[in-house]
Amino acid sequence: MHEMAIVDSLFKIINAKVKEHQIKKVVKVKLKVGEMTAVEPMTLTACFEVYAQNTVVEGAELVIERIPLQGKCRECANVFRVYNYNFQCPQCESRSIETVAGRELYIENLEVEE
Ligand SMILES: [Zn+2]
């Protein structure tokens, strides 16, 4: 499962931080997740809870901030929201589009008790 692999790598980062800063409890985990990652928030949360069991992360709130897919036209530099993966500039109809937002997947913030 896609989400399981993502949570696995997230926990590697979290655990490294927990160890480094001797964190006793993680209260909140804030994630930025781009639309392109095709992550299902419900599934991600469920996997997160499984991984959090019996760790300092258990009971922490997972906040997922979704980032919409945005493209930038290479022809006219127009920046626009991409719907349904339709990479075409609404202004000049060019299909030469660069993705400028929507691929993100990272921990923005950890709220902890030390
Ligand atoms: Zn254009």
Side-chain angles (χ1 to χ4, degrees), residues 72-78 80 88-94 96-97:
K72 185 181 177 188
C73 177
R74 288 195 178 96
E75 303 294 331
C76 72
N78 180 32
F80 58 97
Q88 184 172 25
C89 177
Q91 200 161 277
C92 72
E93 300 189 344
S94 165
S96 180
I97 307 301

